[in-house]
């Protein structure tokens, strides 16, 4: 849903048609809970039938759509109408994911049991991935360290010692030094981790797949459903990778996908 919202914001800023935006939206947006407590239709049909076709500006989008979706509380707590511009789109995305991860993690802890145990490891990895990626991607930008700090989730293996070092990082060597104390991430930014054959994202996908597989080692918890969906997403990425290698005549790189089982 967050990526769909960002897509709508970006499209609105560039005066894209609602039909074009709807075609690009991810269809896997579940029901939203309306203000009266009843479950509504999925978010994409909701946009289509009610509001998106009439939206002509980001301020109108904020007032008439975003406050009525499950992301509304996150926007209210973290963002304002003035933030909805092209410069802040990626900051908005990372701010929403930060709030979502922290909220989801709190929910899983309330569920407790095997669900909390399995989801804790998975969500910690996602939080650390976002912290490292935010740091690496902001090194050559004008983002100040205070703004970067606000985007880091307050959870994960890196939090708080690792993230406090990432905040101060000004080059890739400083990032490598910040995560070197964590065995799972030690090899992410070595020379082989920065070449075109295996990116940082590929390494994180491998770690994620391993945690999602482990979710099926336990019984009587809800984490396996989340893990199943995530493994399916990786399967789709693998199929796309193989198809791209064939279409671009790069058959020698076909096997560079992330195996699931």
């Amino acid at each position: 849903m967050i990526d769909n919202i960002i897509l709508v914001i970006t499209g609105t800023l560039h005066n894209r048609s609602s039909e074009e935006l709807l075609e690009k939206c991810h269809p896997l947006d579940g029901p939203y809970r309306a203000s009266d407590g009843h479950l509504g239709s999925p978010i994409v049909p909701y946009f289509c039938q009610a509001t998106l076709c009439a939206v002509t500006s980001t301020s109108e989008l904020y007032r008439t759509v975003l406050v009525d979706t499950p992301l509304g509380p996150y926007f209210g707590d973290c963002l304002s109408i003035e933030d909805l511009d092209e410069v802040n789109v990626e900051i908005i995305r990372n701010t929403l994911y930060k709030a979502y991860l922290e909220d989801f993690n709190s929910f899983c802890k309330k569920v407790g049991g095997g669900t909390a145990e399995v989801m804790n490891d998975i969500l910690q990895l996602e939080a650390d991935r976002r912290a490292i990626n935010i740091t690496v991607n902001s090194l050559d930008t004008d983002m100040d360290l205070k703004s970067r700090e606000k985007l880091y989730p307050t959870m994960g293996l890196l939090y708080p010692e690792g993230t406090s070092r990432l905040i101060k990082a000004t080059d890739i060597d400083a990032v490598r030094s910040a995560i070197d104390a964590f065995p799972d991430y030690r090899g992410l930014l070595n020379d082989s981790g920065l070449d075109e054959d295996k990116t940082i994202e590929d390494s994180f996908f491998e770690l994620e797949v391993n945690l999602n597989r482990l979710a099926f080692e336990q019984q009587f918890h809800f984490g396996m459903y989340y893990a199943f969906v995530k493994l399916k997403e990786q399967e789709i990425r693998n199929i796309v990778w193989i198809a791209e290698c064939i279409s671009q005549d790069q058959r020698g790189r076909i096997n560079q996908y992330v195996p699931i089982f």
Side-chain angles (χ1 to χ4, degrees):
M1 183 179 294
I2 292 176
D3 290 332
N4 283 352
I5 292 291
I6 297 301
L7 176 64
V8 171
I9 293 174
T10 305
T12 303
L13 289 170
H14 290 85
N15 298 317
R16 303 294 186 188
S17 67
S18 58
E19 291 79 9
E20 180 181 354
L21 295 177
L22 287 172
E23 289 179 358
K24 295 180 179 180
C25 280
H26 195 294
L28 194 59
D29 265 336
Y32 74 99
R33 189 171 295 278
S35 57
D36 60 359
H38 293 89
L39 290 178
S41 57
I43 194 69
V44 173
Y46 170 72
F47 277 145
C48 180
Q49 297 171 8
T51 313
L52 182 58
C53 294
V55 168
T56 58
S57 67
T58 52
S59 60
E60 185 180 356
L61 179 67
Y62 183 93
R63 289 194 301 268
T64 61
V65 180
L66 301 183
V67 295
D68 293 328
T69 71
L71 298 179
Y74 303 150
F75 269 86
D77 294 339
C78 308
L79 302 165
S80 63
I81 296 177
E82 290 72 22
D83 294 323
L84 301 184
D85 58 49
E86 191 169 359
V87 176
N88 289 325
V89 165
E90 284 306 313
I91 295 178
I92 293 171
R93 185 197 303 274
N94 286 304
T95 301
L96 290 176
Y97 267 110
K98 173 183 182 292
Y100 155 73
L101 282 174
E102 293 171 353
D103 198 15
F104 192 14
N105 189 51
S106 297
F107 170 78
C108 292
K109 287 181 178 179
K110 290 178 181 178
V111 174
T115 299
E117 181 180 348
V118 169
M119 292 303 300
N120 178 67
D121 293 340
I122 294 175
L123 295 180
Q124 278 191 337
L125 175 65
E126 181 60 28
D128 292 342
R129 168 167 40 193
R130 303 204 71 81
I132 294 173
N133 282 338
I134 287 169
T135 306
V136 172
N137 293 334
S138 63
L139 291 178
D140 297 324
T141 67
D142 296 331
M143 179 181 290
D144 58 83
L145 301 184
K146 287 288 185 182
S147 299
R148 184 199 296 176
E149 181 181 3
K150 294 178 181 178
L151 301 179
Y152 292 153
T154 55
M155 53 180 286
L157 295 177
L158 293 176
Y159 181 80
E161 291 85 0
T163 51
S164 65
R165 297 173 190 163
L166 288 175
I167 292 168
K168 303 172 184 176
T170 56
D171 55 45
I172 197 67
D173 289 331
V175 178
R176 186 183 293 113
S177 176
I179 65 175
D180 190 58
F182 302 89
D184 288 342
Y185 310 138
R186 186 170 296 156
L188 288 178
L189 297 177
N190 57 23
D191 293 336
S192 61
L194 292 175
D195 63 23
E196 62 179 8
D197 291 335
K198 187 176 182 180
T199 64
I200 299 175
E201 208 53 32
D202 291 333
S203 298
F204 272 117
F205 283 144
E206 290 179 353
L207 293 172
E208 181 184 51
V209 164
N210 183 56
L211 288 178
N212 288 326
R213 285 200 304 250
L214 292 176
F216 295 92
E217 297 295 325
Q218 299 190 37
Q219 300 179 5
F220 306 111
H221 66 89
F222 298 108
M224 66 180 65
Y225 297 106
Y226 181 89
F228 176 81
V229 173
K230 285 297 184 179
L231 289 174
K232 279 296 180 182
E233 289 180 353
Q234 183 59 52
E235 185 177 1
I236 292 171
R237 284 191 290 267
N238 289 345
I239 293 172
V240 171
W241 171 261
I242 293 171
E244 289 290 340
C245 287
I246 293 174
S247 66
Q248 298 178 23
D249 198 21
Q250 297 287 328
R251 296 175 184 271
R253 301 182 62 188
I254 282 183
N255 292 326
Q256 294 176 6
Y257 60 84
V258 180
I260 297 177
F261 290 108

